[in-house]
Amino acid sequence: MRIIIGVIALFFTSLIYAQSKIEVVGMQCEMLTNPLGIDVVNPRLSWKFETSVSNIKQQAYQILVASTPEKLKANDPDLWDSGKVQSDASLNVVYSGKVLDSKMEAFWKVKAWTNKGETNWSEPAHWSMGILTYAEWKSTRWIGYNQLFPGDSVSQFSKLAARYIRKNIILEKPIKDAKVYIMGMGLYELYINGKKIGDQVLAPVPTDYTKNVKYNVFDVTKELNIGKNTIGSILGNGRFFAMRQEYKPYKIKSFGFPKMALQLDIRYTDGSSETIKTDESWKFTANGPIRANNEYDGEIYDARKELSNWNDINFDDSSWKNLTWVQEPGGFYEGQMTPNMKVKDTVIPTSIKATNSGSYILDMGQNMVGWLQLKLDGKRGDEITMKFAESLKEDGSLYTANLRDARSTDTYILNGNGTEIWEPRFVYHGFRFVEITGLSSKPKLSNFLGKVVYDDIKTVGFFESSDETMNQVFKNAYWGIRGNYKGMPIDCPQRNERQPWLGDRTTGAYGESFIFDNQTLYAKWLDDINYAQTQDGGIPDVAPAFWRYYGDGVTWQGTYITVADMLYQQYGDVASIKKHYPSMKKWIMYMEANYLKQDLIAKDKYGDWCVPPESLEIIRSKDPSRLTDGELLSSAFYYHLVKLMEKFAVLIDADPVDVVHYQNLSERIKKAFNTKFLDKDHLVYANNTVTANVLPLAFGMVPKEYEQEVFENMTHEIEVTKDSHISTGVVGTQFLMRTLTKFGRGDLAYTLASNKTYPSWGYMAENGATTIWELWNGNTADPEMNSQNHVMLLGDLMIWYFENMAGIKSDPYNPGFKRIIMKPDFNAGLKFVNASYHSGYGEIKSNWKLKKNNLSWEISIPPNSSAEIHVPVSKNSQIKINNQPLRTSVTAIQNQEESLVFELPSGDYSILIN
């Protein structure tokens, strides 16, 4: 048996793992990476079992935490001994030992008692604390150069060369260990003695730098030598020197010129220590090869200006300038508890074609996000340009109208010294096609390689089915979601936007969590939203608020609450709810005080954004029959959010007055909502759009006596009026598929999921999409708004894939997949589904096949969890589990609406149903 253990930072809800191994009879424990720089004093510890033994239930655990590996090995836990705790909890166990100081090391191990025996102690795991107080950074000064260099410019298309920074240091004693703490704004690369530190790119993650600044920590013990050493860094612009500096300052936030604060803490073997910090003795130049780097416009690299060995000890920096002390960004310094971005994948291009103008069009075969690596020979001074786009015009040239004013062009100028390999450092592009100009000879496909860049998070979900359209849509979702993870969830990666819109992820974050381990990403994003909240309680449309959009809507701003609920449901994360409850409550009260009129809210900015329009050429529908009343949208959604707040208040044991207030408020809204919008003569809501009906059905607002008829009228609207095609926009699509299945029409949901004609997800795939479009008619609409890599229209589709088709759902009353609800809709129309999801307890599998009158279902339930199994038969004799009759396999069986329901403990099971 294997147990995987890890550290979760309570304050930032970060999940981090470290190296460890534990062995017992049939058991062992393993951890994955060493977390550095945790800046919360009560991290949360987690472990999980992996075993072929069935029915593993933890009954107790004991955790030891010590300040040195030696103390831990001797079972001398000077920081914390939990004692033997009678509990089945193996996720989110809060460290409750001695107060942890800045830079302190913590080494820990765990053993568990299960119903199958006791484990041995694990091998040591480790974390280190970050810098916990602002005062400890006080003597570490920010350095920079708040002026333009020759060749730089500030305009709508600002150009600012990268700043190359270096410092020689002398270390005179043997080194025990060393850590570097760096804040490089906007983006940095760090070097010691010519070696890049870490494999991260585009670091650190973006924030509103006036509110909070993230620092990264690296163990650099092995990179330092006795004697001379060189610390070097390159500063790129990122979102600090804004992508449109001083352009529309009323809208776009900018922060100033790039700057850096760094401290290197060294402990020597003789017990002494030294700290090296940024000051005015550090030197820099902007006269290096990176002549410009702008996320919208691209990177310009002149290889003729390369600075050979600039980050090594023998480099002559006498012509470089001294940096000066500069004003700090203003935000509080925080340890970055979510992973940096990395090059996570590569894409080999599929074709290259010459154009009549002498350029070449490179096809990657996949809409991707990242950049292109070149490998070329040429003459000194040859200028190679690469312009990126998502699609082509009919004549085979690039289609760039949808990029707006993003130039999306990288330029490389050759130095002529043989084969040159290059890729950009401080930009990324959303693209499938690249127009390449300036080549002196015909290129080969092997001259180019696509680098896929996104947050360094794991893929945790897999799905395939008997329907190829659904499979392609899943693949498109996978590529689209990961491409838009950029230290925050952005809306699109290609045009002059790339903003973290709240409304795009209201339910999307939930579906994404079945494919990617996005816990730390969205926990960090909740912080971004919190920092962006106004003093009176308002929440922006975009957070971090790089664009100053404060619309005071409900369906967009409510994402603050729905994402917190997702983190609880999928990861068992109560900490995020506790942390953000006061701010969420503040917003709820703000909206109630300012916009609730006669128990309804009419404040709506975007409506059911992007409903399929009446004409393929237009972006937004003008047909009243397609549009849902904004007051209905806001009021229904506000009701939903108030009910979630009631749930949160009970969960965290908030003031009982809050619970009563939410209960009374929701009842008043529900009553006013039905009074105004429910047409009792026709049993539809408002003008009978699908969205108008699906929201009250999904939120439980429809009076029970009318519920079935409202649902049937909604399905009539879908099947007859809309010819069994989707007619909802961003808001309605978030609840459509699950609601159809909940009320018994999984077959209709399957039709919507498998359609290939307009409007549908399959229509996108049929028309060449390899990601998800922003518009249902994204191939024909006006280019003003037709990003071909947007995930907002996925709605609840990915949730439906996993929860309703595969039957992998976390029990709301036992979250984080402690208990799993396995209830696939076997009759929706699919012939087989093969899916898996790696939860906090281990991998959950569901693989079912229909063949004539037989249903075979292979499932895996991870240790220390259990599952409620639903099978669509009424007789025990129709079921065998692992070739044994049902009665001998389980102890309790319930009959529910022509199905049998029973509980299974952890293990692998083969279920055969006749």
Side-chain angles (χ1 to χ4, degrees):
M1 180 182 293
R2 294 162 55 87
I3 306 174
I4 298 180
I5 59 181
V7 179
I8 301 181
L10 176 62
F11 190 70
F12 291 98
T13 327
S14 297
L15 180 60
I16 308 164
Y17 295 105
Q19 269 308 313
S20 173
K21 186 179 275 187
I22 186 176
E23 290 197 31
V24 279
V25 179
M27 294 185 184
Q28 64 177 20
C29 171
E30 182 177 289
M31 298 169 68
L32 306 176
T33 62
N34 280 323
L36 301 176
I38 292 177
D39 66 348
V40 291
V41 295
N42 294 105
R44 291 177 289 138
L45 312 179
S46 297
W47 55 94
K48 58 186 174 185
F49 304 82
E50 291 184 354
T51 177
S52 58
V53 179
S54 298
N55 191 19
I56 295 294
K57 298 177 182 178
Q58 180 182 289
Q59 297 172 333
Y61 66 82
Q62 184 175 9
I63 299 168
L64 301 184
V65 186
S67 59
T68 67
E70 293 77 18
K71 287 181 179 291
L72 189 66
K73 184 176 181 180
N75 290 334
D76 179 16
D78 57 332
L79 297 180
W80 185 39
D81 180 352
S82 70
K84 185 176 181 180
V85 179
Q86 299 293 328
S87 172
D88 67 350
S90 56
L91 289 180
N92 307 322
V93 176
V94 178
Y95 169 84
S96 302
K98 291 182 180 178
V99 174
L100 299 172
D101 295 328
S102 291
K103 306 176 186 178
M104 180 179 284
E105 306 290 330
F107 301 84
W108 71 289
K109 59 185 178 181
V110 63
K111 71 174 176 179
W113 288 262
T114 76
N115 58 328
K116 297 294 177 74
E118 174 185 342
T119 74
N120 290 332
W121 287 108
S122 68
E123 293 291 326
H126 165 254
W127 82 84
S128 67
M129 302 304 295
I131 298 175
L132 301 180
T133 65
Y134 177 80
E136 292 173 272
W137 285 97
K138 185 170 59 176
S139 58
T140 298
R141 305 290 181 88
W142 286 86
I143 55 174
Y145 183 75
N146 289 340
Q147 299 180 46
L148 298 176
F149 228 71
D152 294 342
S153 64
V154 174
S155 68
Q156 179 178 348
F157 303 97
S158 293
K159 289 177 61 179
L160 193 72
R163 279 100 195 278
Y164 291 75
I165 300 172
R166 56 175 275 114
K167 169 74 173 178
N168 287 333
I169 61 174
I170 297 176
L171 306 179
E172 297 180 342
K173 295 181 286 188
I175 299 165
K176 179 181 180 181
D177 57 60
K179 288 191 179 72
V180 64
Y181 302 78
I182 181 172
M183 293 180 283
M185 303 289 104
L187 303 172
Y188 74 86
E189 284 191 351
L190 176 66
Y191 297 84
I192 293 182
N193 297 327
K195 177 183 176 182
K196 182 185 174 185
I197 304 302
D199 58 357
Q200 71 285 343
V201 299
L202 303 175
V205 295
T207 61
D208 180 338
Y209 309 104
T210 65
K211 303 294 179 65
N212 62 321
V213 176
K214 299 293 188 182
Y215 64 84
N216 292 153
V217 185
F218 300 96
D219 186 328
V220 294
T221 308
K222 294 180 180 179
E223 281 68 42
L224 294 171
N225 308 309
I226 297 177
K228 292 182 180 180
N229 295 268
T230 300
I231 306 172
S233 70
I234 311 174
L235 291 186
N237 303 324
R239 296 197 176 217
F240 199 82
F241 185 84
M243 296 174 288
R244 290 290 180 263
Q245 190 84 357
E246 304 304 327
Y247 173 64
K248 295 185 179 180
Y250 57 87
K251 170 185 174 181
I252 302 171
K253 203 166 189 176
S254 60
F255 305 93
F257 287 91
K259 58 188 68 177
M260 182 179 79
L262 175 150
Q263 66 182 56
L264 171 62
D265 288 347
I266 304 169
R267 293 195 302 173
Y268 297 105
T269 56
D270 65 1
S272 62
S273 63
E274 180 180 6
T275 298
I276 295 163
K277 303 178 180 181
T278 44
D279 58 29
E280 290 181 303
S281 67
W282 291 58
K283 305 191 79 172
F284 95 105
T285 185
N287 193 27
I290 302 178
R291 308 308 308 145
N293 58 103
N294 181 303
E295 187 176 315
Y296 288 163
D297 300 325
E299 188 162 304
I300 300 173
Y301 189 94
D302 188 344
R304 298 171 301 179
K305 298 178 74 66
E306 286 180 337
L307 305 165
S308 179
N309 300 318
W310 69 272
N311 49 17
D312 209 344
I313 56 174
N314 296 317
F315 182 79
D316 180 7
D317 62 9
S318 58
S319 64
W320 287 29
K321 293 177 178 288
N322 280 80
L323 287 159
T324 60
W325 286 330
V326 295
Q327 182 66 44
E328 60 187 354
F332 191 76
Y333 308 155
E334 299 174 346
Q336 182 178 308
M337 304 306 298
T338 187
N340 278 308
M341 285 170 265
K342 289 186 180 180
V343 174
K344 297 286 289 180
D345 201 354
T346 56
V347 176
I348 298 173
T350 57
S351 69
I352 187 165
K353 297 178 181 178
T355 69
N356 294 332
S357 64
S359 64
Y360 294 88
I361 298 292
L362 185 71
D363 183 358
M364 306 305 296
Q366 169 67 51
N367 199 0
M368 57 170 284
V369 182
W371 52 68
L372 192 66
Q373 182 192 77
L374 297 181
K375 185 178 181 182
L376 296 171
D377 296 285
K379 295 182 296 183
R380 183 176 178 83
D382 283 354
E383 186 170 307
I384 313 299
T385 63
M386 294 147 281
K387 189 167 185 63
F388 300 85
E390 295 183 297
S391 57
L392 302 176
K393 298 178 183 177
E394 290 185 4
D395 64 0
S397 61
L398 287 190
Y399 176 80
T400 60
N402 68 327
L403 302 182
R404 301 173 181 170
D405 74 349
R407 290 176 170 175
S408 300
T409 302
D410 289 341
T411 301
Y412 180 74
I413 302 171
L414 279 74
N415 61 27
N417 297 329
T419 300
E420 301 177 41
I421 301 175
W422 175 81
E423 59 191 76
R425 282 183 170 90
F426 297 126
V427 300
Y428 67 86
H429 306 284
F431 68 102
R432 173 173 172 172
F433 299 95
V434 190
E435 182 182 34
I436 304 168
T437 59
L439 296 172
S440 57
S441 60
K442 183 178 179 180
K444 302 177 182 178
L445 288 179
S446 58
N447 294 132
F448 311 99
L449 182 66
K451 299 290 188 75
V452 180
V453 174
Y454 61 100
D455 293 42
D456 186 26
I457 57 180
K458 290 184 177 180
T459 300
V460 293
F462 169 80
F463 181 94
E464 67 174 350
S465 73
S466 56
D467 191 283
E468 287 305 317
T469 296
M470 286 180 57
N471 295 342
Q472 183 62 48
V473 170
F474 180 80
K475 181 181 177 183
N476 291 0
Y478 167 81
W479 278 92
I481 292 165
R482 68 175 182 166
N484 283 294
Y485 281 169
K486 291 291 175 286
M488 57 188 178
I490 60 171
D491 65 327
C492 61
Q494 74 296 97
R495 67 189 182 204
N496 66 346
E497 190 167 359
R498 312 181 192 199
Q499 295 299 323
W501 288 95
L502 271 67
D504 290 28
R505 294 317 209 285
T506 309
T507 298
Y510 184 0
E512 294 162 19
S513 72
F514 279 107
I515 307 176
F516 296 100
D517 182 6
N518 61 15
Q519 179 182 6
T520 59
L521 173 78
Y522 278 106
K524 180 262 184 187
W525 199 41
L526 291 184
D527 291 340
D528 293 333
I529 298 170
N530 185 25
Y531 279 121
Q533 188 173 33
T534 59
Q535 191 170 5
D536 60 358
I539 291 175
D541 303 357
V542 174
F546 298 119
W547 285 4
R548 293 183 178 92
Y549 280 8
Y550 283 81
D552 275 358
V554 176
T555 55
W556 253 242
Q557 281 71 10
T559 301
Y560 190 25
I561 295 172
T562 60
V563 167
D565 188 53
M566 180 278 288
L567 291 173
Y568 174 69
Q569 173 75 10
Q570 297 295 89
Y571 300 103
D573 177 9
V574 182
S576 286
I577 293 175
K578 286 181 179 178
K579 178 184 177 183
H580 292 280
Y581 179 82
S583 297
M584 293 187 289
K585 176 184 173 181
K586 185 178 182 180
W587 177 74
I588 286 285
M589 298 307 181
Y590 168 81
M591 295 300 293
E592 181 183 359
N594 290 283
Y595 299 110
L596 191 71
K597 309 297 181 186
Q598 297 179 325
D599 295 329
L600 296 173
I601 289 185
K603 182 68 173 176
D604 173 70
K605 185 175 181 179
Y606 300 106
D608 192 18
W609 190 248
C610 294
V611 298
E614 54 273 19
S615 170
L616 286 173
E617 289 73 36
I618 65 175
I619 294 172
R620 286 182 282 276
S621 174
K622 305 297 182 183
D623 179 1
S625 70
R626 296 170 181 261
L627 304 179
T628 304
D629 186 292
E631 187 176 28
L632 182 149
L633 291 173
S634 293
S635 299
F637 224 87
Y638 190 65
Y639 171 87
H640 174 55
L641 298 171
V642 170
K643 296 301 289 183
L644 286 178
M645 290 299 291
E646 178 188 337
K647 168 184 168 181
F648 293 170
V650 172
L651 185 66
I652 67 171
D653 197 23
D655 189 334
V657 173
D658 288 1
V659 178
V660 174
H661 179 76
Y662 298 140
Q663 290 173 339
N664 291 338
L665 179 58
S666 62
E667 285 305 309
R668 284 168 27 217
I669 296 170
K670 182 177 180 179
K671 181 178 179 181
F673 183 88
N674 284 311
T675 298
K676 180 161 187 177
F677 296 113
L678 177 58
D679 180 348
K680 291 185 178 179
D681 293 329
H682 301 93
L683 291 179
V684 299
Y685 281 84
N687 62 339
N688 195 31
T689 64
V690 173
T691 296
N693 291 304
V694 78
L695 293 184
L697 283 166
F699 300 156
M701 301 179 77
V702 184
K704 285 295 181 183
E705 63 269 29
Y706 303 135
E707 199 172 58
Q708 189 59 37
E709 289 177 89
V710 169
F711 176 74
E712 289 173 1
N713 287 331
M714 182 186 76
T715 58
H716 181 272
E717 178 69 11
I718 297 172
E719 290 183 293
V720 178
T721 308
K722 305 302 181 187
D723 190 28
S724 295
H725 280 72
I726 203 158
S727 62
T728 48
V730 169
V731 178
T733 309
Q734 294 171 5
F735 303 94
L736 179 62
M737 304 296 281
R738 289 172 294 167
T739 302
L740 286 171
T741 303
K742 175 185 175 181
F743 284 92
R745 289 303 309 273
D747 61 318
L748 182 53
Y750 169 61
T751 298
L752 299 181
S754 58
N755 276 335
K756 297 181 182 180
T757 51
Y758 175 81
S760 66
W761 298 286
Y763 172 78
M764 301 179 193
E766 283 290 296
N767 283 271
T770 58
T771 46
I772 304 297
W773 294 342
E774 181 179 19
L775 303 173
W776 297 109
N777 55 334
N779 60 330
T780 57
D782 186 284
E784 179 185 345
M785 194 182 85
N786 58 359
S787 157
Q788 293 169 31
N789 190 353
H790 237 77
V791 296
M792 64 183 186
L793 286 182
L794 281 171
D796 69 348
L797 183 65
M798 293 298 105
I799 309 172
W800 180 80
Y801 270 30
F802 281 88
E803 291 188 350
N804 297 115
M805 294 298 99
I808 300 175
K809 178 180 180 179
S810 181
D811 181 354
Y813 300 102
N814 296 273
F817 295 90
K818 177 66 173 174
R819 187 168 182 268
I820 309 154
I821 307 296
M822 305 195 78
K823 186 182 179 182
D825 189 339
F826 298 109
N827 298 315
L830 290 169
K831 300 301 181 185
F832 77 84
V833 166
N834 182 18
S836 64
Y837 170 71
H838 204 96
S839 73
Y841 293 93
E843 192 166 39
I844 305 165
K845 295 181 181 179
S846 177
N847 181 358
W848 60 262
K849 296 179 182 178
L850 286 172
K851 186 179 288 186
K852 294 183 179 180
N853 295 323
N854 292 331
L855 168 64
S856 61
W857 190 12
E858 307 289 330
I859 65 175
S860 294
I861 306 165
N864 206 28
S865 67
S866 62
E868 178 183 290
I869 310 297
H870 294 247
V871 292
V873 292
S874 57
K875 297 180 180 179
N876 300 345
S877 59
Q878 295 176 274
I879 305 172
K880 285 188 176 181
I881 301 178
N882 293 343
N883 292 318
Q884 297 296 316
L886 178 62
R887 274 293 177 200
T888 62
S889 302
V890 298
T891 56
I893 304 171
Q894 303 174 34
N895 285 284
Q896 290 184 4
E897 299 178 1
E898 298 185 352
S899 67
L900 296 177
V901 182
F902 50 89
E903 194 90 5
L904 285 177
S906 67
D908 298 323
Y909 300 93
S910 177
I911 302 175
L912 182 63
I913 305 167
N914 293 319

mmCIF file of all heavy atoms in Angstrom, residues 348-366:
data_model
loop_
_atom_site.group_PDB
_atom_site.id
_atom_site.type_symbol
_atom_site.label_atom_id
_atom_site.label_comp_id
_atom_site.label_asym_id
_atom_site.label_seq_id
_atom_site.Cartn_x
_atom_site.Cartn_y
_atom_site.Cartn_z
ATOM 1 N N ILE A 348 4.611 19.463 -32.521
ATOM 2 C CA ILE A 348 5.353 19.398 -33.780
ATOM 3 C C ILE A 348 4.429 19.884 -34.892
ATOM 4 O O ILE A 348 3.312 19.380 -35.040
ATOM 5 C CB ILE A 348 5.821 17.969 -34.060
ATOM 6 C CG1 ILE A 348 6.770 17.494 -32.957
ATOM 7 C CG2 ILE A 348 6.500 17.870 -35.423
ATOM 8 C CD1 ILE A 348 7.150 16.028 -33.049
ATOM 9 N N PRO A 349 4.834 20.875 -35.672
ATOM 10 C CA PRO A 349 3.953 21.396 -36.729
ATOM 11 C C PRO A 349 3.645 20.326 -37.769
ATOM 12 O O PRO A 349 4.420 19.379 -37.968
ATOM 13 C CB PRO A 349 4.740 22.559 -37.321
ATOM 14 C CG PRO A 349 6.163 22.313 -36.935
ATOM 15 C CD PRO A 349 6.123 21.585 -35.625
ATOM 16 N N THR A 350 2.495 20.508 -38.410
ATOM 17 C CA THR A 350 2.030 19.498 -39.361
ATOM 18 C C THR A 350 2.328 19.833 -40.813
ATOM 19 O O THR A 350 2.412 18.945 -41.655
ATOM 20 C CB THR A 350 0.527 19.270 -39.205
ATOM 21 O OG1 THR A 350 -0.161 20.520 -39.383
ATOM 22 C CG2 THR A 350 0.200 18.727 -37.813
ATOM 23 N N SER A 351 2.477 21.133 -41.139
ATOM 24 C CA SER A 351 2.755 21.492 -42.530
ATOM 25 C C SER A 351 3.342 22.892 -42.596
ATOM 26 O O SER A 351 3.184 23.698 -41.671
ATOM 27 C CB SER A 351 1.482 21.436 -43.383
ATOM 28 O OG SER A 351 0.582 22.477 -43.028
ATOM 29 N N ILE A 352 4.029 23.162 -43.703
ATOM 30 C CA ILE A 352 4.516 24.512 -43.987
ATOM 31 C C ILE A 352 4.371 24.755 -45.481
ATOM 32 O O ILE A 352 4.725 23.895 -46.300
ATOM 33 C CB ILE A 352 5.980 24.701 -43.514
ATOM 34 C CG1 ILE A 352 6.398 26.150 -43.651
ATOM 35 C CG2 ILE A 352 6.938 23.764 -44.222
ATOM 36 C CD1 ILE A 352 7.667 26.488 -42.900
ATOM 37 N N LYS A 353 3.796 25.919 -45.829
ATOM 38 C CA LYS A 353 3.510 26.225 -47.228
ATOM 39 C C LYS A 353 4.023 27.612 -47.576
ATOM 40 O O LYS A 353 3.885 28.551 -46.794
ATOM 41 C CB LYS A 353 2.002 26.151 -47.495
ATOM 42 C CG LYS A 353 1.402 24.776 -47.286
ATOM 43 C CD LYS A 353 -0.100 24.786 -47.526
ATOM 44 C CE LYS A 353 -0.701 23.396 -47.288
ATOM 45 N NZ LYS A 353 -2.183 23.405 -47.484
ATOM 46 N N ALA A 354 4.584 27.726 -48.775
ATOM 47 C CA ALA A 354 5.054 29.013 -49.265
ATOM 48 C C ALA A 354 3.878 29.840 -49.754
ATOM 49 O O ALA A 354 2.883 29.316 -50.258
ATOM 50 C CB ALA A 354 6.058 28.808 -50.390
ATOM 51 N N THR A 355 3.970 31.158 -49.604
ATOM 52 C CA THR A 355 2.961 32.081 -50.121
ATOM 53 C C THR A 355 3.528 32.812 -51.332
ATOM 54 O O THR A 355 4.730 32.781 -51.599
ATOM 55 C CB THR A 355 2.543 33.107 -49.057
ATOM 56 O OG1 THR A 355 3.650 33.992 -48.815
ATOM 57 C CG2 THR A 355 2.150 32.416 -47.755
ATOM 58 N N ASN A 356 2.665 33.479 -52.061
ATOM 59 C CA ASN A 356 3.099 34.221 -53.250
ATOM 60 C C ASN A 356 4.025 35.381 -52.898
ATOM 61 O O ASN A 356 4.805 35.849 -53.739
ATOM 62 C CB ASN A 356 1.886 34.742 -54.018
ATOM 63 C CG ASN A 356 1.059 33.607 -54.608
ATOM 64 O OD1 ASN A 356 1.600 32.537 -54.911
ATOM 65 N ND2 ASN A 356 -0.235 33.826 -54.779
ATOM 66 N N SER A 357 3.960 35.856 -51.648
ATOM 67 C CA SER A 357 4.783 36.994 -51.240
ATOM 68 C C SER A 357 6.166 36.584 -50.764
ATOM 69 O O SER A 357 6.973 37.432 -50.397
ATOM 70 C CB SER A 357 4.067 37.771 -50.126
ATOM 71 O OG SER A 357 3.925 36.950 -48.974
ATOM 72 N N GLY A 358 6.424 35.285 -50.739
ATOM 73 C CA GLY A 358 7.734 34.827 -50.309
ATOM 74 C C GLY A 358 7.805 34.416 -48.852
ATOM 75 O O GLY A 358 8.858 33.977 -48.381
ATOM 76 N N SER A 359 6.720 34.558 -48.125
ATOM 77 C CA SER A 359 6.685 34.116 -46.738
ATOM 78 C C SER A 359 6.214 32.667 -46.691
ATOM 79 O O SER A 359 5.908 32.051 -47.725
ATOM 80 C CB SER A 359 5.758 35.007 -45.917
ATOM 81 O OG SER A 359 4.422 34.906 -46.375
ATOM 82 N N TYR A 360 6.141 32.125 -45.484
ATOM 83 C CA TYR A 360 5.687 30.749 -45.295
ATOM 84 C C TYR A 360 4.622 30.728 -44.206
ATOM 85 O O TYR A 360 4.701 31.466 -43.221
ATOM 86 C CB TYR A 360 6.851 29.846 -44.892
ATOM 87 C CG TYR A 360 7.896 29.679 -45.976
ATOM 88 C CD1 TYR A 360 8.942 30.585 -46.082
ATOM 89 C CD2 TYR A 360 7.808 28.641 -46.888
ATOM 90 C CE1 TYR A 360 9.895 30.452 -47.082
ATOM 91 C CE2 TYR A 360 8.761 28.488 -47.890
ATOM 92 C CZ TYR A 360 9.793 29.395 -47.983
ATOM 93 O OH TYR A 360 10.731 29.258 -48.977
ATOM 94 N N ILE A 361 3.631 29.860 -44.380
ATOM 95 C CA ILE A 361 2.592 29.661 -43.371
ATOM 96 C C ILE A 361 2.823 28.309 -42.715
ATOM 97 O O ILE A 361 2.773 27.259 -43.367
ATOM 98 C CB ILE A 361 1.174 29.715 -43.980
ATOM 99 C CG1 ILE A 361 0.905 31.079 -44.601
ATOM 100 C CG2 ILE A 361 0.136 29.387 -42.905
ATOM 101 C CD1 ILE A 361 0.808 32.223 -43.606
ATOM 102 N N LEU A 362 3.086 28.353 -41.416
ATOM 103 C CA LEU A 362 3.319 27.149 -40.625
ATOM 104 C C LEU A 362 2.028 26.781 -39.912
ATOM 105 O O LEU A 362 1.400 27.626 -39.268
ATOM 106 C CB LEU A 362 4.420 27.414 -39.604
ATOM 107 C CG LEU A 362 4.904 26.237 -38.753
ATOM 108 C CD1 LEU A 362 5.704 25.262 -39.602
ATOM 109 C CD2 LEU A 362 5.746 26.749 -37.586
ATOM 110 N N ASP A 363 1.623 25.533 -40.030
ATOM 111 C CA ASP A 363 0.412 25.036 -39.370
ATOM 112 C C ASP A 363 0.827 24.088 -38.253
ATOM 113 O O ASP A 363 1.457 23.061 -38.490
ATOM 114 C CB ASP A 363 -0.473 24.304 -40.380
ATOM 115 C CG ASP A 363 -1.798 23.821 -39.780
ATOM 116 O OD1 ASP A 363 -2.028 24.025 -38.566
ATOM 117 O OD2 ASP A 363 -2.603 23.228 -40.533
ATOM 118 N N MET A 364 0.458 24.459 -37.014
ATOM 119 C CA MET A 364 0.785 23.613 -35.867
ATOM 120 C C MET A 364 -0.176 22.433 -35.749
ATOM 121 O O MET A 364 0.070 21.502 -34.965
ATOM 122 C CB MET A 364 0.756 24.424 -34.578
ATOM 123 C CG MET A 364 1.633 25.665 -34.593
ATOM 124 S SD MET A 364 3.366 25.326 -35.002
ATOM 125 C CE MET A 364 3.862 24.319 -33.615
ATOM 126 N N GLY A 365 -1.297 22.477 -36.468
ATOM 127 C CA GLY A 365 -2.284 21.401 -36.386
ATOM 128 C C GLY A 365 -3.160 21.479 -35.154
ATOM 129 O O GLY A 365 -4.083 20.661 -35.001
ATOM 130 N N GLN A 366 -2.912 22.448 -34.286
ATOM 131 C CA GLN A 366 -3.634 22.566 -33.019
ATOM 132 C C GLN A 366 -3.556 24.014 -32.553
ATOM 133 O O GLN A 366 -2.479 24.613 -32.539
ATOM 134 C CB GLN A 366 -2.997 21.658 -31.955
ATOM 135 C CG GLN A 366 -3.488 21.870 -30.533
ATOM 136 C CD GLN A 366 -4.938 21.479 -30.351
ATOM 137 O OE1 GLN A 366 -5.344 20.372 -30.720
ATOM 138 N NE2 GLN A 366 -5.730 22.371 -29.774
#
